[in-house]
Amino acid sequence: MKKVLYIGWIGFGNLGDDLLWNIFKNLSKQYLDENSIKIIPSFPGIDINKVEDYDIIILGGGSLLTPRNIYILYKGLEMGKKIIIWGSGIDRIKKQQLDDILSGSLPSLEQEFTIEDVTILKNVFSGASFAGVRGPLTQKALESLGVNRDDIQVIGDPGLLLKPVDTVNIDNQEKLIGLNWGTTYKQLYGNNEIRLENKLAIISKRLIQQGYKILIYTVWGNDVRPCQRLFNKINDPQNVTFDEKLYTEQELISILSSCSLTINFKLHSNLLSLAANVPSIALGYRFKVFDLAHLLELENYVLSTDSPKLEEEILKRVILIEKNKDNIVRRYGEIQKNYYSLLVKPFLEGLYM
């Protein structure tokens, strides 16, 4: 029996990361022979540095293309292990470097990756049995580091495989906006969560004036306190609900299906919303959010959290969604279909065996 190590940031109660593991686990049950393969997820307590214990090492979904994880993959390669990268992405890239990529230039990422890191990164991508990354901006960042373009395949975020549930009729929806908030412990563009939170309170009040109700929801236990604080700042319990319960992905998709649109802080809240056939506005707090938005061809609906005119920009996007809701939902379905075959390719072609 072959042993597979699945590396992900899992087991910490973060729905976004845990759902990626759930998707991988379900695909494995669907396509792989459980009698010939044993998958060990990197839950707390699993030493992912002990690659000698495994036959195959998989870097799963999430922003996991970090120097630490790349070293682990390289160590596996050196031992003759099979290496697979499945929908991983880069993050923690400064705003100026993001702007450089968006303008068409390749920025220097020397502060994020040393010369030694880059050498190992190139070797990992050239030696991997399958190297599929989350989005086009991750691809460009890797190219700027010197990784061969032919060694990189954009396969999408595994969250694209989230299955929709029965949703309400869009035309009959209440004017309800799902608002996802939380914390990144000040690791965001603009470096000021409280200022962003105050802006969201102002935006919410203006949307209420336009006839909307607000549903504040969370996807991580650590986000409950900031969400409660935002609820208190809006101070309108008649028109604002804060649901602090942590749901499964399918439960949350069902809940979000009653919304007209969502405004989301955390990355995978956008995919949960779109899986519910509900358009989303993404708060671009770090590189990964822009990476996903460009993958989905929804770059007009991602707004940087350091924008001085964030309130006005969000209100404009709400109007755009009101006018283009059906087109957004239809286009997402097309993109989802396009990336499905790439995401399941390693399973269909037996690359995990």
Side-chain angles (χ1 to χ4, degrees):
M1 176 177 287
K2 290 188 177 181
K3 292 180 68 178
V4 177
L5 173 64
Y6 176 93
I7 299 176
W9 198 73
I10 51 179
F12 300 98
N14 187 316
L15 179 60
D17 291 290
D18 288 346
L19 69 83
L20 298 174
W21 156 243
N22 290 338
I23 290 169
F24 179 87
K25 178 176 59 177
N26 291 334
L27 285 172
S28 297
K29 289 180 179 179
Q30 181 178 352
Y31 291 107
L32 304 182
D33 180 6
E34 293 182 317
N35 295 318
S36 62
I37 192 166
K38 181 179 181 181
I39 302 173
I40 294 89
S42 62
F43 287 124
I46 298 294
D47 186 356
I48 61 176
N49 292 289
K50 295 182 67 175
V51 295
E52 60 270 18
D53 294 343
Y54 304 95
D55 301 292
I56 304 168
I57 305 165
I58 297 170
L59 190 66
S63 300
L64 301 178
L65 288 172
T66 64
R68 181 196 179 213
N69 289 333
I70 290 300
Y71 273 82
I72 292 170
L73 297 183
Y74 181 69
K75 182 179 177 182
L77 274 180
E78 291 283 274
M79 293 182 178
K81 312 294 183 181
K82 181 179 285 189
I83 301 299
I84 292 171
I85 300 170
W86 187 65
S88 308
I90 285 182
D91 193 21
R92 309 279 180 173
I93 290 179
K94 293 179 177 60
K95 184 59 176 1
Q96 182 57 57
Q97 295 165 320
L98 167 64
D99 291 339
D100 289 342
I101 290 176
L102 294 178
S103 68
S105 62
L106 296 179
S108 170
L109 300 176
E110 295 175 353
Q111 293 182 349
E112 287 75 21
F113 294 87
T114 66
I115 294 175
E116 184 180 5
D117 293 339
V118 170
T119 299
I120 290 175
L121 189 66
K122 293 177 184 177
N123 288 333
V124 165
F125 270 83
S126 64
S129 300
F130 183 83
V133 302
R134 175 176 55 213
L137 302 191
T138 285
Q139 180 185 41
K140 290 180 180 179
L142 290 169
E143 288 177 21
S144 75
L145 290 165
V147 178
N148 190 326
R149 183 181 181 87
D150 293 337
D151 293 332
I152 311 167
Q153 184 175 190
V154 177
I155 66 168
D157 188 292
L160 282 163
L161 299 179
L162 284 168
K163 295 181 179 179
V165 295
D166 291 334
T167 57
V168 299
N169 188 312
I170 290 178
D171 293 333
N172 295 329
Q173 285 177 331
E174 179 185 22
K175 291 187 68 173
L176 176 66
I177 292 179
L179 176 55
N180 168 249
W181 179 234
T183 182
T184 62
Y185 297 104
K186 301 179 182 179
Q187 301 297 312
L188 75 163
Y189 294 149
N191 302 313
N192 194 323
E193 284 186 4
I194 296 301
R195 182 171 60 197
L196 177 58
E197 184 174 285
N198 292 338
K199 288 185 177 183
L200 290 176
I202 293 170
I203 291 164
S204 298
K205 291 177 181 179
R206 292 179 65 176
L207 288 169
I208 290 168
Q209 290 174 353
Q210 295 178 14
Y212 282 101
K213 292 184 181 296
I214 306 293
L215 169 65
I216 299 175
Y217 74 99
T218 181
V219 294
W220 188 30
N222 293 24
D223 293 336
V224 171
R225 185 176 178 183
C227 285
Q228 183 66 58
R229 197 169 55 224
L230 175 60
F231 175 78
N232 293 340
K233 287 179 179 178
I234 301 171
N235 192 27
D236 188 351
Q238 183 176 346
N239 292 300
V240 182
T241 301
F242 169 38
D243 188 347
E244 65 179 80
K245 183 178 177 180
L246 296 173
Y247 294 97
T248 67
E249 50 265 39
Q250 289 302 311
E251 288 172 338
L252 190 51
I253 290 170
S254 180
I255 290 168
L256 294 179
S257 70
S258 64
C259 295
S260 303
L261 62 103
T262 61
I263 301 170
N264 300 297
F265 189 48
K266 296 303 176 69
L267 180 72
H268 285 94
S269 299
N270 296 287
L271 288 175
L272 289 160
S273 177
L274 289 162
N277 292 327
V278 175
S280 66
I281 298 170
L283 298 173
Y285 71 96
R286 283 210 306 263
F287 182 86
K288 61 183 177 180
V289 185
F290 291 86
D291 193 27
L292 179 65
H294 281 255
L295 171 78
L296 302 179
E297 298 179 12
L298 292 173
E299 51 266 44
N300 289 334
Y301 296 93
V302 58
L303 300 169
S304 181
T305 53
D306 68 353
S307 170
K309 297 182 179 180
L310 185 65
E311 299 97 318
E312 289 79 5
E313 290 177 340
I314 286 181
L315 293 171
K316 288 179 181 177
R317 293 329 185 270
V318 170
I319 294 172
L320 277 176
I321 287 175
E322 289 174 339
K323 295 178 179 178
N324 299 291
K325 183 180 298 183
D326 291 346
N327 290 333
I328 293 170
V329 170
R330 181 170 56 251
R331 182 58 185 147
Y332 174 71
E334 293 170 354
I335 289 172
Q336 191 179 36
K337 186 180 298 184
N338 291 341
Y339 283 104
Y340 177 86
S341 59
L342 295 174
L343 285 162
V344 301
K345 180 180 179 180
F347 297 89
L348 293 173
E349 297 187 359
L351 294 179
Y352 293 136
M353 304 302 289

